[in-house]
Amino acid sequence: MDIRLRAEEIERRVLAPHACFSGATKGRLKPEAECIVRTAFQRDRDRIIHSKSFRRLKHKTQVFTIPEGDHYRTRLTHTLEVAQIARTIARALRLNEDLTEAIALGHDLGHTPFGHAGEEALNEVFEPGFKHNEQSLRVVDVLEGGGGLNLTFEVRDGILNHTGPVRPATLEGQIVKIADRVAYINHDIDDALRGGVLTREQLPVECLTVLGYEHRERINNMVLDLIYTNWDNAEGIVMSPAFQVATDRLREFLFEYVYIGSEAKREEAKARHVVKRLFRHFQENEGFLPGEYLKRTESNDTRRAICDYIAGMTDRYAIKVYQKYFLPVPWVE
């Protein structure tokens, strides 16, 4: 029995007509035999979960740089929250939950150490420029496992366009793009309150009146709004006008009070210095690159290989490498 074919048939009978069906995928970069059990999107999800890049997310900054507390979000917990929110919306709208989950789990694989501070630092020193969504696509296409994960077009498109001006080609990818924002706005408020960066009294009342006053209430209301607004909508995933305005205003508030110049960001200058110094060090001493990256310098731009190496580092590994090259080692008798 070909279980995959049965799963594809269930999709055709159960999902909405405008869902993205795994049996109709536009395919992979390199042709390969189908799995007899899993659909194409289920297979992509599993490949992402089992990747080293996915495991490294647990030690990469979300907002608080190298957080000491056990309850602050990391890039991995952020990813899991995005996946949960996106799956709930996709299931309710009868869209492809497996595709949605695969995109959500892979969307931040290319994120740098130290969060957006590391991304900005690499963007400054890597001449072609650096964007984490483009690096996420590079991870799944080229870097992971030495030759990429060979994912489907639909997952790759969702990963690349989860941020930026381009709308994902599938409704499932569009769900992830909005779920990413729903997740980080709410969990960054939660972390900022926990860390004493914000007080509840500072939160803009005009936004809370629309979205909700408590963390769980806001997420629930935003998810319900997305479900009701997009019921039987085949044109594109959007928030209702009132929720969109309130969400945008709340995001602006976070930039003003948390993301730029707050106590949560006090270590960012040091983080940027670490990333930039490591980049310049390996430019001057490419022979110090690990073997797999050094091998890439033979056929690719050395700067690209250095960028790949640093972008893949966790916070603590970046600090460890920095200490190795730039801090004195105590003398031991």
Side-chain angles (χ1 to χ4, degrees), residues 11-242:
E11 284 185 2
R12 286 190 288 270
R13 287 192 280 110
V14 173
L15 298 184
H18 45 274
C20 185
F21 299 98
S22 57
T25 174
K26 293 183 180 179
R28 304 180 185 278
L29 293 176
K30 294 173 285 187
E32 60 179 68
E34 296 284 1
C35 177
I36 64 171
V37 174
R38 296 168 296 168
T39 67
F41 300 145
Q42 290 170 348
R43 205 176 190 186
D44 285 358
R45 174 201 60 204
D46 295 350
R47 289 179 180 181
I48 291 168
I49 287 176
H50 289 282
S51 69
K52 291 191 297 184
S53 301
F54 183 78
R55 294 195 293 276
R56 287 198 298 267
L57 294 177
K58 68 180 178 180
H59 292 301
K60 290 192 176 189
T61 287
Q62 175 61 27
V63 170
F64 284 80
T65 306
I66 324 172
E68 296 263 339
D70 292 335
H71 300 120
Y72 291 105
R73 271 72 173 190
T74 65
R75 190 62 56 178
L76 178 60
T77 60
H78 161 72
T79 294
L80 295 176
E81 290 186 36
V82 173
Q84 178 271 313
I85 291 169
R87 285 175 55 207
T88 298
I89 298 166
R91 188 186 305 121
L93 296 177
R94 294 191 300 129
L95 299 177
N96 197 311
E97 190 176 341
D98 294 323
L99 171 58
T100 304
E101 184 178 28
I103 295 170
L105 293 176
H107 81 282
D108 269 354
L109 291 180
H111 232 302
T112 59
F114 313 120
H116 287 285
E119 179 177 21
E120 292 162 5
L122 269 184
N123 187 54
E124 291 176 21
V125 294
F126 181 51
E127 193 170 305
F130 181 90
K131 294 181 179 179
H132 77 271
N133 56 315
E134 295 175 355
Q135 187 69 13
S136 293
L137 183 63
R138 181 169 171 79
V139 166
V140 300
D141 278 357
V142 179
L143 300 177
E144 184 61 45
L149 299 178
N150 198 28
L151 305 182
T152 57
F153 164 83
E154 293 79 8
V155 174
R156 295 173 59 250
D157 168 80
I159 288 173
L160 176 63
N161 296 311
H162 81 270
T163 187
V166 179
R167 189 168 74 169
T170 65
L171 296 176
E172 289 82 356
Q174 294 170 35
I175 286 175
V176 174
K177 188 165 190 164
I178 298 179
D180 183 31
R181 182 165 293 193
V182 171
Y184 76 67
I185 284 175
N186 285 290
H187 67 48
D188 290 353
I189 289 174
D190 191 45
D191 279 355
L193 291 172
R194 178 179 291 106
V197 175
L198 290 177
T199 64
R200 293 185 184 277
E201 291 70 29
Q202 286 178 284
L203 298 176
V205 176
E206 68 275 18
C207 298
L208 303 186
T209 302
V210 176
L211 303 176
Y213 285 85
E214 299 298 327
H215 177 77
R216 60 186 297 179
E217 181 187 9
R218 277 193 302 275
I219 292 178
N220 185 63
N221 289 342
M222 293 169 89
V223 167
L224 290 176
D225 177 76
L226 284 161
I227 292 171
Y228 296 149
T229 302
N230 296 285
W231 195 257
D232 287 334
N233 178 17
E235 300 304 316
I237 303 299
V238 295
M239 284 182 162
S240 68

